[in-house]
Each structure stands twice: as structure tokens, then as C-alpha cells.
Amino acid sequence: MKFNTFNAAMNGICAEFVTDAMYYGENRRKRLLRLPVAALIAVITALILALAAGASVIFGWDGVLKDYLGISGTREDELRNSVMEINQSQTIDGLTVTVRQAFGDAHTVYVLAEVRVAEGLPLDGRLQSIVVNIDTKNSSGSYNFACMNIDEESRIQTYLITFASDKKIIGRHMTITFDTYVSLPYVEKLITGSWNFKFKLNYADASRCFVLNEKCGDLTIKDVIISPASIMISVEGLPDDDLSLDEFSVILNDGSEPEIIRYQYLGNGGGKEKKVISIYGKFRKVIDEKNVYAVSINGQVFVLDSK
């Protein structure tokens, strides 16, 4: 996906909104002209406010997602194209699930969802399971989810779903199924049903790829992909080699090392003579990918540049 695709798509939405408003005004031109000047000004003002509100919905960061990722200041604008609005909702027996927003890169996506609990249902219940799939072939991946916040006044639970794959996921279709609302500790089914969602991942990828092809002991580090949210290292070795890494870290220009909260092995490729795996890590807070100086792998430092 090209970096301008998301901008084009969002501009298309805004243009469509404005076109509809102008078409509405054209059809009612004679009626509007008969209105008093004050009323006409009020109509125009309301239209402007509606457009402004629409723009904020399209481009606004959700507070829970922004706080969890540690996005603030100028980074909100810099990463604006890497977030997409979804806003799909389904209701079963008074329980409304809404998939609101997603932020990601080529291999990682964070999806924000809300559960609005109707009066009469316990607010401290939970969805029994959340199942995530993506339509990439011959890929491996993993996901997890957690309830991040419960607002008693609005009766909304906020969930964050994280998905990672060894294949590129931008432009692919993701499906998420939320299943059965239960009481804690998961003893009684309160609402039985499935809330099903499908959407295309359309956002800009801010990742940077560094091709190394350098030896690290008996292994070869093929390339390193770093985004604001994650790092992926491709390692090549012989069929009988242990391709696991003892440690790896990212070094920023100021010498600091951002915390990587989890890592895992994704994919297993290559051929009879060589095998390649991808080692994936997720940053606790987003980083500035332009501020990366080097990576340290098994005690060996590899300085990165835009090769």
C-alpha cells in the first residue's frame, strides 16, 4: 500500500460529505433564499460545524489507544496516516459491540473495540472469547486481547486486540468474532451469540527496512524491519542450525534502548540448503523509527542506515 492511499481515501470521504451537502443546498436553493438572513446564517453555521465534527471523527485518535501506545505531541500528526477508522457495530440482546479504530504497520495491528453493556446486565462481565483471522496465505501469526478500561457512567468496556504476522497484512481483510457475554469468573452465560466483523486494513506503513546480510556467529542476519510499534529480524542458517537469538535490542541515537515487551518466532521458510525465520518484537511504547541508530543481536552491534 502506498503512503498516499490512506490520505486519498480519507479525502474521498470528506469530498463525498461536502458533495452531499452541496447537493442538498442545490435542491433547496429557492427555499433557502426565502429564509431570513439570520436563519440562513444559522443553516450555514450548522453545516460548517457538522463538517468539522465529521473531520474530527475521521481523523481523531482514540484516547485509550493513544495512551496505551504512548503517542503524544507531534507524533499524533506524524502517525495520523497509520490509524484508520472502522466504526462497525452490532447489537445482540442489548449488548452492542463496536470495532472502532486500528493502528498498525506492515506486520502489526492494534484494534480498538468497545462493548456497550445495557442496563440490567452486570457491567463487570466479559466477552468469553475473541477470535481473529486474516486472509493471508501460508502465514503464521499470533494475537491477544485485553479489557483496558470500564466506564461506569457510559457503561462501556474498552478492549484492545493486538495481532502480529510474519506476512504483510496491509491491504488484507481481517475478521474478528466476539463470542458470548459471561459473568465473572466465567460461570454463567448472560448473552449467547457471536458478533462478527470484517474489514480491510488500509493505513500507511511507517516501517523502515534495513538490508544487512551480515554474519552473526554461525547465523546470517538478512534484514531488520523497524516501525514505530515493532521490530522484525530475518535470520538465515543451515537446516540443522538453532536460529533462536539469545538477545536483541534497539539502540536509539541518544544511546537509549526502548523496552521490547515480548518477542516470538514467526514463520519458517527457506529451502533444503537454508532455512529462514522471522523474530518479532513489540515495543512497549511507540518509538520514532527515524531515530534508530543500531540493533544489538547476541551482543553484536549492527549500525543501521538506509541501504
Side-chain angles (χ1 to χ4, degrees):
M1 177 179 176
K2 295 182 179 178
F3 281 87
N4 290 329
T5 303
F6 185 84
N7 273 334
M10 300 315 273
N11 287 336
I13 291 173
C14 290
E16 182 179 354
F17 190 100
V18 174
T19 301
D20 287 345
M22 292 173 64
Y23 182 76
Y24 177 91
E26 180 66 22
N27 284 347
R28 289 156 177 78
R29 178 178 53 195
K30 295 180 180 179
R31 183 180 301 175
L32 285 175
L33 290 176
R34 296 193 189 102
L35 292 175
V37 175
L40 183 58
I41 293 174
V43 170
I44 295 173
T45 302
L47 178 59
I48 293 173
L49 290 175
L51 289 173
S56 67
V57 169
I58 291 172
F59 294 113
W61 281 93
D62 183 274
V64 173
L65 183 62
K66 185 175 67 173
D67 292 345
Y68 177 79
L69 296 171
I71 296 173
S72 61
T74 58
R75 293 298 278 164
E76 291 186 35
D77 288 330
E78 293 170 355
L79 296 176
R80 189 183 295 276
N81 288 354
S82 294
V83 63
M84 63 174 284
E85 295 289 337
I86 302 169
N87 290 327
Q88 295 183 13
S89 295
Q90 293 180 17
T91 301
I92 298 177
D93 294 339
L95 193 79
T96 300
V97 178
T98 302
V99 178
R100 293 201 53 229
Q101 201 171 73
F103 166 82
D105 56 38
H107 298 273
T108 308
V109 63
Y110 295 87
V111 179
L112 193 75
E114 289 182 349
V115 177
R116 184 180 294 274
V117 182
E119 295 287 347
L121 290 172
L123 186 57
D124 61 352
R126 292 293 185 276
L127 291 165
Q128 189 172 41
S129 68
I130 299 176
V131 179
V132 182
N133 284 293
I134 200 161
D135 64 347
T136 53
K137 296 181 178 179
N138 302 318
S139 65
S140 64
S142 67
Y143 67 94
N144 58 74
F145 63 90
C147 182
M148 306 297 295
N149 184 62
I150 298 177
D151 189 294
E152 294 185 359
E153 183 177 353
S154 64
R155 298 187 62 81
I156 289 178
Q157 301 176 351
T158 302
Y159 288 79
L160 187 64
I161 303 159
T162 308
F163 180 90
S165 172
D166 63 323
K167 304 294 185 184
K168 289 186 177 181
I169 59 177
I170 294 178
R172 311 305 302 185
H173 287 89
M174 172 169 280
T175 58
I176 303 179
T177 299
F178 301 83
D179 187 66
T180 305
Y181 190 71
V182 300
S183 63
L184 293 180
Y186 305 105
V187 294
E188 181 184 359
K189 293 183 179 180
L190 302 173
I191 297 179
T192 301
S194 294
W195 295 258
N196 301 290
F197 301 89
K198 183 177 182 178
F199 49 90
K200 188 175 183 179
L201 296 174
N202 277 328
Y203 49 76
D205 178 24
S207 301
R208 301 180 68 195
C209 180
F210 303 91
V211 179
L212 297 180
N213 288 319
E214 295 188 25
K215 298 295 291 184
C216 182
D218 294 331
L219 307 178
T220 299
I221 308 301
K222 299 291 292 179
D223 58 61
V224 177
I225 300 174
I226 295 179
S227 83
S230 67
I231 175 173
M232 185 171 290
I233 303 171
S234 294
V235 181
E236 181 185 74
L238 298 174
D240 294 332
D241 285 343
D242 177 10
L243 300 189
S244 61
L245 302 181
D246 294 330
E247 61 85 21
F248 68 87
S249 61
V250 173
I251 304 172
L252 302 181
N253 286 329
D254 62 3
S256 63
E257 298 183 4
E259 184 179 0
I260 299 174
I261 58 175
R262 60 189 296 248
Y263 71 90
Q264 60 199 91
Y265 297 91
L266 299 175
N268 191 352
K272 294 182 178 180
E273 297 182 357
K274 298 284 185 179
K275 67 177 181 179
V276 179
I277 66 169
S278 298
I279 301 170
Y280 168 87
K282 184 173 68 174
F283 299 118
R284 177 173 292 278
K285 301 292 183 181
V286 297
I287 67 168
D288 186 345
E289 70 286 354
K290 302 181 295 298
N291 195 30
V292 174
Y293 169 70
V295 292
S296 175
I297 302 174
N298 288 355
Q300 186 173 338
V301 175
F302 299 89
V303 177
L304 303 179
D305 56 39
S306 300
K307 296 180 180 179

